[in-house]
Amino acid sequence: MSGIFPPPKEKCDDELCPFHGTLRVRGRILKGVVISDKMQRTVTVRIDYVRYDRKYKRYEKRFSKIKAHNPPCINAREGDIVYIGECRPLSKTVHFVVCHIEKKKK
């Protein structure tokens, strides 16, 4: 994980942290905006993408909401632009972990 993103400045003792724990990140890496941080150590990230509609021969905007684990050393908040990486299933709905914050909300 340290090859793609720089490690955070803070240290944490979270076992599910990709930098300080044993969690492996593999698969897709997505970029999105945090739309909710109300859960404990979990954030909801909105991923925007476009899809081609063959019938009307044009593109349409769509989005997905993905839940991701939020380690205490990264601590993403609502409005932040983040990169999330796919990992093993952490719970029923969480299959991603926050790897890097690109831009903090002011």
Side-chain angles (χ1 to χ4, degrees):
M1 196 71 244
S2 61
I4 300 171
F5 300 112
K9 294 178 177 75
E10 297 180 25
K11 295 282 183 188
C12 72
D13 57 350
D14 188 8
E15 194 67 28
L16 300 176
C17 177
F19 296 99
H20 306 114
T22 58
L23 187 68
R24 290 287 198 202
V25 175
R26 77 285 198 281
R28 299 165 57 189
I29 294 178
L30 304 171
K31 179 180 175 182
V33 179
V34 176
I35 58 173
S36 174
D37 61 350
K38 294 183 173 109
M39 294 172 276
Q40 294 179 2
R41 293 191 181 186
T42 305
V43 292
T44 304
V45 181
R46 179 182 165 134
I47 309 293
D48 294 316
Y49 63 96
V50 292
R51 179 184 166 272
Y52 185 70
D53 190 349
R54 291 190 334 205
K55 179 179 178 182
Y56 296 107
K57 297 182 180 157
R58 59 185 65 155
Y59 291 92
E60 61 186 10
K61 288 184 185 177
R62 290 191 172 194
F63 69 89
S64 296
K65 289 198 279 188
I66 297 175
K67 291 180 178 49
H69 180 69
N70 188 18
C73 59
I74 296 176
N75 198 19
R77 292 285 160 224
E78 189 172 331
D80 293 350
I81 298 173
V82 296
Y83 284 97
I84 59 174
E86 189 177 7
C87 62
R88 66 177 176 82
L90 302 177
S91 70
K92 179 181 175 181
T93 58
V94 178
H95 301 86
F96 286 83
V97 63
V98 178
C99 299
H100 180 67
I101 297 178
E102 183 180 278
K103 185 178 175 188
K104 286 261 193 199
K105 181 182 176 186
K106 295 182 181 184

